[in-house]
Amino acid sequence: MKILLVGASGCIGSAVAAELSVRHELITAGRTSGDVTMDLSDKDTIEAAYKEVGSLDAVVCAAGNVTFKPLAEMTAADYAVGLNDKLMGQVNLVLIGRKFVADGGSFTLTGGVLDDDPIVEGTSASMVNGALNAFALSASIELERDLRVNVVSPGVITEALEDYAPYFRGFEPVPAARAALAYAKSVEGKRTGQVFRVS
Amino acid sequence: MKILLVGASGCIGSAVAAELSVRHELITAGRTSGDVTMDLSDKDTIEAAYKEVGSLDAVVCAAGNVTFKPLAEMTAADYAVGLNDKLMGQVNLVLIGRKFVADGGSFTLTGGVLDDDPIVEGTSASMVNGALNAFALSASIELERDLRVNVVSPGVITEALEDYAPYFRGFEPVPAARAALAYAKSVEGKRTGQVFRVS
């Protein structure tokens, strides 16, 4: 398959690349690096990247920004970061990508454990993850040409603990390579409308 | 209790008013009618309404707009309607209302069944409802002074079937008075971070 991997240089993205590249042709995308560049919060850059890449069999997104901050300090502008980037960036990957992905192809988005196992300072991430899960389920019943959409929802990644450990005390970390299996299941399997939880 | 009821003139709101008004003092709010007016999509009007009302024991919101349209026709601007109004309008009711609600007081928001039982043309509603559920869960662990936040998630309301029946074939309708009980449970009980599903 020819697969567009957004966020290929990140912690999860590089593990997904390692998992998928042995069997598939990967086109990597990132904000500043990769075969093509795109900014998830700017849909014009998403459209431009798709046009540059041409037809595809699958799209995987392992990128998306949200703001972590105490609820008491969160403003509508702070929530807008996550809504515009991690949520609508990934939704726009589906809306725009529908025209570029072959029959039976798939979109695999990244959510996270916080929608049902929240942490302090994580309300924006929780909100965005809950929105993504419900979007994938509902979009899956409307996508044409057997197109599929799933969300992978990983727990805190072992390789990212250096940055995130204080926020995720008591969470069992997930090696990135283990999370990457769920992306392969989504891309190479046939299920749709699923949240593949890896935690 | 002194309770601010947003969307008091709507189908669910009027049933909530009937349920709560026999035991509590209600301050009604709506876009164009009520004791105070507010536009959920404009946080300045939310702040102005709170200032006009003063201290409160509970806030109930039974309002919020989303766009219903086939996925193939949905644009980022269509999703923005639901994100700005039903989602962030209700989130802003919590963020701003924290300063006006008494210790132990509650926020009761309205979601809906579509986050886990989707319909065609409902991707925006699904997304927003999933976001609200996860927000309430995560915000509940950070709210100070024993403040509480819950979501009521009703199915299609019997009294609204005239408009919505074609979209909700096979869904068992919920009388508005039955949905209203869940709002009373949220306001007059002590639970927090819950999604009270009435379907």
Side-chain angles (χ1 to χ4, degrees):
Chain A
M1 289 190 229
K2 182 179 170 190
I3 303 172
L4 177 65
L5 174 57
V6 181
S9 66
C11 185
I12 294 177
S14 49
V16 172
E19 172 66 29
L20 293 178
S21 62
V22 292
R23 295 180 298 277
H24 304 287
E25 177 196 354
L26 295 191
I27 316 292
T28 60
R31 197 181 295 259
T32 55
S33 65
D35 299 320
V36 293
T37 57
M38 70 167 68
D39 175 351
L40 275 183
S41 66
D42 178 351
K43 68 182 165 48
D44 293 340
T45 69
I46 295 174
E47 179 121 32
Y50 272 126
K51 283 183 174 156
E52 189 176 341
V53 172
S55 63
L56 285 163
D57 298 297
V59 178
V60 173
C61 183
N65 290 320
V66 299
T67 300
F68 286 89
K69 196 186 273 191
L71 178 69
E73 297 171 17
M74 286 291 290
T75 64
D78 292 321
Y79 287 105
V81 172
L83 295 176
N84 292 333
D85 194 288
K86 185 173 180 182
L87 176 58
M88 286 307 302
Q90 296 194 92
V91 168
N92 282 324
L93 275 175
V94 176
L95 297 181
I96 299 167
R98 289 170 45 244
K99 297 173 279 187
F100 296 90
V101 175
D103 294 8
S106 64
F107 298 92
T108 305
L109 314 181
T110 296
V113 72
L114 297 184
D115 66 292
D116 77 346
D117 199 4
I119 61 170
V120 169
E121 303 197 17
T123 56
S124 175
S126 296
M127 171 196 288
V128 165
N129 295 347
L132 282 165
N133 295 351
F135 170 78
L137 174 62
S138 60
S140 73
I141 67 171
E142 290 198 59
L143 281 169
E144 66 281 16
R145 300 186 291 104
D146 299 323
L147 291 173
R148 301 180 297 109
V149 58
N150 296 303
V151 172
V152 174
S153 178
V156 63
I157 300 294
T158 306
E159 290 84 344
L161 275 183
E162 194 176 332
D163 293 333
Y164 291 110
Y167 299 94
F168 286 89
R169 294 294 179 212
F171 284 67
E172 189 172 339
V174 176
R178 202 178 138 232
L181 292 172
Y183 293 84
K185 183 188 280 184
S186 174
V187 171
E188 301 180 68
K190 287 295 281 177
R191 300 185 71 187
T192 189
Q194 302 299 310
V195 178
F196 294 113
R197 294 191 180 270
V198 191
S199 53
Chain B
M1 287 188 229
K2 182 178 170 189
I3 303 172
L4 177 65
L5 174 57
V6 181
S9 65
C11 186
I12 294 176
S14 49
V16 172
E19 173 66 30
L20 293 178
S21 62
V22 293
R23 294 181 298 280
H24 304 286
E25 177 195 355
L26 294 190
I27 316 292
T28 60
R31 197 180 295 260
T32 55
S33 64
D35 299 320
V36 293
T37 58
M38 69 167 69
D39 175 351
L40 275 185
S41 66
D42 178 350
K43 67 180 163 52
D44 293 340
T45 69
I46 295 174
E47 178 122 31
Y50 272 126
K51 283 181 175 159
E52 188 175 341
V53 172
S55 62
L56 285 164
D57 298 297
V59 177
V60 173
C61 184
N65 290 318
V66 299
T67 300
F68 285 89
K69 196 186 274 192
L71 178 69
E73 298 171 18
M74 286 293 288
T75 64
D78 292 322
Y79 287 105
V81 172
L83 295 177
N84 290 334
D85 194 290
K86 186 174 180 182
L87 176 58
M88 285 308 301
Q90 296 194 93
V91 168
N92 282 324
L93 275 176
V94 176
L95 298 182
I96 301 168
R98 289 169 48 244
K99 296 173 281 187
F100 296 91
V101 174
D103 293 8
S106 63
F107 297 91
T108 305
L109 313 180
T110 295
V113 73
L114 298 182
D115 66 292
D116 78 346
D117 198 3
I119 61 171
V120 169
E121 302 197 18
T123 56
S124 174
S126 296
M127 171 195 290
V128 165
N129 296 346
L132 283 165
N133 296 351
F135 170 76
L137 174 60
S138 61
S140 73
I141 68 172
E142 290 200 59
L143 281 169
E144 66 282 17
R145 299 187 292 106
D146 298 325
L147 292 172
R148 300 180 297 109
V149 58
N150 296 302
V151 172
V152 174
S153 177
V156 63
I157 299 295
T158 306
E159 290 85 344
L161 276 182
E162 192 175 335
D163 293 332
Y164 291 110
Y167 299 93
F168 286 89
R169 295 293 179 213
F171 284 67
E172 188 173 339
V174 175
R178 204 180 135 231
L181 292 173
Y183 293 84
K185 183 189 281 185
S186 173
V187 171
E188 301 180 68
K190 287 295 282 179
R191 298 185 72 187
T192 189
Q194 302 299 309
V195 178
F196 294 114
R197 294 190 180 271
V198 190
S199 54

